[in-house]
Amino acid sequence: MTSSSYPPGDAGTEDDDLLADLFDTLLQDILDGRTPDLDALHADRPDLRERIHKTWTLACAVAGRREPSRPSFGGYEIRRELGHGGMGTVYLARHQTLQRDVAIKVLPQSLAMSPRAKQRFLEEARALAQIRHENVVHVHRVVEHTTMLAFEMEYVDGPSLQQLILDLRQHGKAANLTAIANLLGLPPASLGARTSVEWLVRLTIRIARALAVVHRHGLVHRDVKPSNILLRTDGTPVLADFGLALQADLDATRTRFAGTPVYAAPERLRGGDAAADARTDVYSLGVTLYEALTLTPPFTGSSTHEILRRIEGGAAPPLRTHAPNVSRDLATVTQKAMEADPRHRYATADEFADDLERLLSLQPIHARPAGPLRRGLQFVRRHSRVVGAALASAVLVAAAIWPLAAHAAAASAARETAAVARHAARSALLRPAALPTSWGGLVGSEQEVRQPGLREARLAALDNALRD
C-alpha cells in the first residue's frame, strides 16, 4: 500500500501532510537563499529520511536551482555547515596554510548575481572588519572565487546562548551555575561568578559593552538575540551575525522590517529600519537577558498577531513571576531596558551596562520602577481595545441617563429653594412684631411661661401652615 492510499487520519496521511508543509518551508528557504541541514530536519523520524531528501530535490527543481553542494575554495577544506540565514551559509573550514579552523560565510549563488545583495554582503564584512573587540566576532578577510563570494572570520567553538537556554530548560529547577559549567565543559570556578544569575548578568554587561563599540562605529546590529550570542570554549560571549547591521547615516530611510519579531523593539515593528537606533539594540539585549534569566520568552501567544500586540503594549509578565530568585533591582534594570516607549529606555548600551555593574557592586541603580501614572498609561496601551470599549460604553450610559439626572437635579434645586423660603418665612413670622395682634401679647408673656408647651404648639402650627 502506498502512503497516499492510507485512509484519513492514518499515519500515512499525517506523513504526507508533514512532507507537504516541509516542501513549502524548503521552497521558501531556497528563495531566501538558505540551505537547510536536511539531517537535522525531523531527526526523530529516521524512517522519513529518504522522503525528506526527495522533497528537497523537488523544491530545488521547482525553484529552478540545482541542489547545492559544499562550496570549494582554494586554500580551504570545507568540513561542515554551521548555520545559515537569509544572507548566507556559514561553514566550518580548515585554513590549509595556517592550519587553523575558521568560519566561512558564503553568499548564496542565487544572490551572488544580484549587485544589491553582493553590496550588502560586502557591507557586512566591512562593518565587522572595522570593529576590534574581545566580544565581537573577528573578520579576517573577504574571499572571492569564480561566482562565489565569502568572508573568513573567527570560528567560535562553543554553543550559542540559545543552545544553552534550551539545554537549561531540560534541567528545570536544577538550572544553576553547575549546570551551565557542565554544559560548557568547564569547572564552575572558572566562570567567575557565584550564581547563574550573576554569570548571566556579567555576560550581558560584556555584550552591552560590545554593542556600545558597535554603535560608536555608526552601526546598529538590529538582530541581537540569544542565537547571535556565541560562547567560546572558555565561556566568553561573542556578538555575531551582523547580516542585518545598519549604517545609521546611510540606511535611515529604509522602512522594511527585518529580524526576529519577538526580540524586536515595538518601534521597529511599526517603522522598520528607519526606527532603528542604539535603543533598539538595548531593547533586544534586555529581552535576551529576560529570557536567559527565566528560560522563557517574555512575549508568547497563540498567534503571531497576539504576540505582536503584546510586544506593542509591553505586556511581558514581571521578571520575578518566572524567576522569583532575581532581585527587585535586577528586575527593574531589565524592565527599563525593555520599555516599550524608547524614551524611557536606557539611551545607550553603556548606560545599561553601567546599571548592571552598579547592581553587582551593591551600589544604588539609576533605574526606577514605573510610577502610578506610567503604569496607568502602560495599562491603557496594553488594553487599548478594552479601555476604548469601556469609554464608549460610559459615553452611551451617560447620554442615556443625562435627561433623568438633569430632571432630578432640577427637582432637588426646587426643593432646596422651597426649604430656604420656608425657613425665611418662619423666622419672619416668629418675630413678635410680625405676629398677629392676638398672638403678640402672648410671646414671652406670663401665659407662655405658665404653659411650657404652648410655644412648641405654635411653631408646629406655623410649620403646617408653611408646608407646600
Side-chain angles (χ1 to χ4, degrees), residues 7 18 33 80 97 111 120 152 191 255 277 325 333 375 395 460:
L18 182 150
R80 61 183 172 89
T97 301
L111 295 179
R120 182 171 174 183
E152 175 195 317
L191 296 181
T255 57
D277 61 16
N325 59 317
V333 171
R375 287 200 302 271
V395 170

Side-chain angles (χ1 to χ4, degrees), residues 22-336:
L22 179 61
F23 172 81
D24 292 338
T25 301
L26 293 175
L27 183 59
Q28 189 61 51
D29 283 344
I30 294 170
L31 296 176
D32 291 341
R34 294 190 292 268
T35 303
D37 182 357
L38 298 181
D39 292 333
L41 295 173
H42 301 291
D44 59 331
R45 294 293 307 276
D47 56 308
L48 292 179
R49 186 63 46 224
E50 182 179 353
R51 296 184 67 188
I52 288 174
H53 279 269
K54 288 182 178 179
T55 303
W56 168 247
T57 301
L58 178 60
C60 289
V62 171
R65 106 178 197 190
R66 293 184 306 173
E67 288 188 61
S69 58
R70 289 181 183 178
S72 176
F73 291 100
Y76 296 94
E77 177 192 348
I78 305 297
R79 294 189 167 179
R80 61 183 172 89
E81 182 180 317
L82 296 174
H84 57 265
M87 286 304 296
T89 303
V90 181
Y91 296 93
L92 171 63
R94 184 74 173 174
H95 194 293
Q96 294 175 335
T97 301
L98 300 177
Q99 289 296 297
R100 70 177 180 186
D101 287 336
V102 296
I104 292 185
K105 185 167 185 177
V106 182
L107 182 68
Q109 292 186 22
S110 58
L111 295 179
M113 303 302 293
S114 164
R116 183 176 180 181
K118 184 175 181 179
Q119 180 61 28
R120 182 171 174 183
F121 190 83
L122 289 172
E123 284 177 1
E124 176 186 354
R126 281 196 288 266
L128 280 170
Q130 294 176 28
I131 302 168
R132 291 296 175 189
H133 191 278
E134 180 188 11
N135 302 111
V136 177
V137 67
H138 300 154
V139 170
H140 300 152
R141 67 190 186 99
V142 173
V143 181
E144 290 191 74
H145 182 71
T146 61
T147 60
M148 285 187 290
L149 184 66
F151 62 81
E152 175 195 317
M153 59 186 174
E154 169 193 7
Y155 169 53
V156 181
D157 45 1
S160 68
L161 180 59
Q162 182 65 42
Q163 290 172 304
L164 191 68
I165 290 172
L166 292 175
D167 288 340
L168 288 175
R169 283 177 188 164
Q170 304 299 321
H171 288 73
K173 294 183 178 180
N176 52 28
L177 188 67
T178 301
I180 293 174
N182 290 339
L183 291 170
L184 294 174
L186 297 170
S190 69
L191 296 181
R194 292 164 298 173
T195 65
S196 60
V197 171
E198 181 184 345
W199 184 78
L200 289 169
V201 168
R202 293 189 183 280
L203 178 149
T204 304
I205 291 172
R206 299 180 79 166
I207 295 299
R209 297 297 186 200
L211 275 173
V213 172
V214 169
H215 297 155
R216 284 196 287 273
H217 278 79
L219 301 171
V220 182
H221 189 284
R222 292 193 307 155
D223 202 21
V224 177
K225 57 186 178 182
S227 61
N228 284 339
I229 297 175
L230 308 180
L231 301 170
R232 297 192 179 106
T233 51
D234 63 355
T236 303
V238 180
L239 185 62
D241 199 349
F242 283 70
L244 299 178
L246 274 177
Q247 286 188 289
D249 56 341
L250 297 178
D251 298 303
T253 58
R254 294 184 186 174
T255 57
R256 178 174 170 269
F257 170 76
T260 307
V262 73
Y263 301 101
E267 66 271 18
R268 280 204 61 226
L269 296 175
R270 294 191 301 268
D273 291 346
D277 61 16
R279 294 172 299 178
T280 60
D281 281 348
V282 167
Y283 177 93
S284 300
L285 185 57
V287 174
T288 297
L289 176 59
Y290 181 108
E291 183 174 352
L293 291 170
T294 64
L295 305 181
T296 303
F299 303 105
T300 58
S302 58
S303 66
T304 301
H305 176 74
E306 183 179 356
I307 293 173
L308 295 179
R309 182 172 57 80
R310 291 185 176 183
I311 293 172
E312 177 67 29
L319 180 65
R320 286 162 55 86
T321 300
H322 294 301
N325 59 317
V326 167
S327 69
R328 295 185 185 277
D329 278 356
L330 179 52
T332 299
V333 171
T334 306
Q335 178 58 45
K336 183 175 178 64

Side-chain angles (χ1 to χ4, degrees), residues 386-400:
V386 175
V387 172
L391 289 175
S393 299
V395 170
L396 291 174
V397 170

